[in-house]
Amino acid sequence: MRRGSQPRATSYLLIAVALAIVLVGVGETLRFSSARDVAAGVFAPFQAAVMSASNGVGGFVAMLTSIGNTADENRRLKQHVADLERQLAGRQQQDLTDQKLKALLGVRDSLQIHTVTAQVIGLDPEALTQTMTIHAGTSQGVRKGMSVLGQRGLVGKVISVQSNTAAVRLISDPQLPVNAEVATTHLGGTIKIKDGQLVDEILGAPTDLKLNQGETLVTSGLGGNYPKGLPVAEVVRFQYRPAEITQVARVAPLDDLMHLEYVLVDTDFVPEGTR
Amino acid sequence: MSLWLAYPVITLLAILQTSLVPQVSLGAARPQLVMTWIVCWAVVRGRGEAMSWAIFGGLLLDLLSQMPPGAHLLAMVAVTFLADLGHRVMQGSTALFALAAIFAASLAYGTILLVVLEVTGHSVQLADTVILNLLPGAVFNLAVLVPIFLVQRVLDQRFPVSVLPEW
């Protein structure tokens, strides 16, 4: 082994640890977010391309499977079938995207809000923070604090925004409790992560409280962080506990937060203090 | 091997890790392509060569994630240094050592990130995160390690270390 490699490694370690400690300590005040903005701008096209390609993988696999069923046909017919299958897979993929976009339009129309449609281009690499990056930013009218919706309801909130991308914190993040209410009774609560699960905590609930599975929770508008009336989650399980002051219902987001392809940003509502 | 050639690879892996990997994740567990590549090189090659990659990869992930700034950098250099140290102690690398190193590095990496999250005031569900995220993620990394280890062994042989005479 060549001499000097270990001191070199130790030097790198010391420099990097010192830098890391500085960043952890004062990174936010050193405008590290500006560096993130630049990085997001540089990498967003590549991330978007990879995301689009990965969305087509399912269709491509289906195409390969169907080609396997034509094993008895001759080479020319196989090629012909493969071409058709490829076109079909591409069309199916397009149809799927159309369906998702139509569903998003449905959400927008039903809620009667103005929105910006954005492709999801990045997710947190470690899944330790529940965040994602979308391909829309200030150029498209997105502002910090705006609500982000999936095909069925609220999925998160814009926490930082750049010219063409924005970071969104999902409602499954412990840092993002959502004031909500039961859509039918307007009974208020807070949707948050508790013991690793998404729950609705209801303080001072009536003793005859009943929450049925599938019951929808919508934003209450309390706190001014979200507009009132956005669907957020549905009840998965609830059992009234007489001894508890706070009743806890297990809930689930209306959308699959880990497999969002397109989202809507509600541009009508910007919380106070973020304008 | 020119160390500079690795930077585009690490950049590509970082892009894949933030875009493609979440699409193929199993639950909350995700393979850590960048960490596995860098730590594996520390295991295969040693000599501190992977440390500069660790700084680059850590900073890149810090830029592309919403974790507290510096978290990935700290975790990456720490596990890479330990893997490099392991290479010295083991006097080389074996597949078994690589597997053990990646598994341990995955857990250590995740633990450091959790500690940074906790220190910076983010609430962390420790037990759930370890069970649902770190442990499955470490197993995921073992699967990713296999092709990476094979590629890097070939690279190590193809671009041998230039040994200077020690006077």
Side-chain angles (χ1 to χ4, degrees), chain A residues 99-221:
Chain A
Q99 282 173 20
K100 289 178 178 178
L101 290 172
K102 278 177 184 168
L104 286 174
L105 288 174
V107 171
R108 187 192 66 178
D109 292 344
S110 66
L111 294 172
Q112 295 185 326
I113 53 176
H114 292 96
T115 60
V116 168
T117 307
Q119 186 187 3
V120 177
I121 58 170
L123 291 164
D124 177 54
E126 312 300 330
L128 295 180
T129 59
Q130 298 290 309
T131 54
M132 66 182 184
T133 307
I134 60 173
H135 204 179
T138 50
S139 304
Q140 290 76 32
V142 176
R143 299 286 179 270
K144 185 179 176 184
M146 285 180 170
S147 305
V148 180
L149 300 125
Q151 290 178 27
R152 296 183 60 202
L154 184 73
V155 297
K157 182 179 180 177
V158 176
I159 55 171
S160 67
V161 60
Q162 299 82 44
S163 59
N164 287 305
T165 62
V168 176
R169 177 160 285 152
L170 300 172
I171 57 172
S172 53
D173 191 295
Q175 306 292 313
L176 196 68
V178 180
N179 289 322
E181 62 186 19
V182 180
T184 51
T185 63
H186 291 205
L187 179 65
T190 303
I191 294 177
K192 62 201 293 192
I193 293 289
K194 187 177 183 183
D195 299 328
Q197 293 182 328
L198 196 64
V199 299
D200 183 30
E201 280 191 349
I202 303 166
L203 186 64
T207 52
D208 60 345
L209 176 63
K210 284 183 182 172
L211 289 175
N212 298 320
Q213 187 178 353
E215 198 147 7
T216 304
L217 302 170
V218 299
T219 51
S220 64

Side-chain angles (χ1 to χ4, degrees), chain A residues 6 8 36 123-124 126, chain B residues 18 30 32 47 67 88:
Chain A
Q6 193 57 32
R8 182 176 62 182
R36 278 187 170 149
L123 291 164
D124 177 54
E126 312 300 330
Chain B
T18 52
R30 293 173 188 175
Q32 297 156 305
R47 299 166 30 84
M67 290 285 289
R88 269 172 69 92

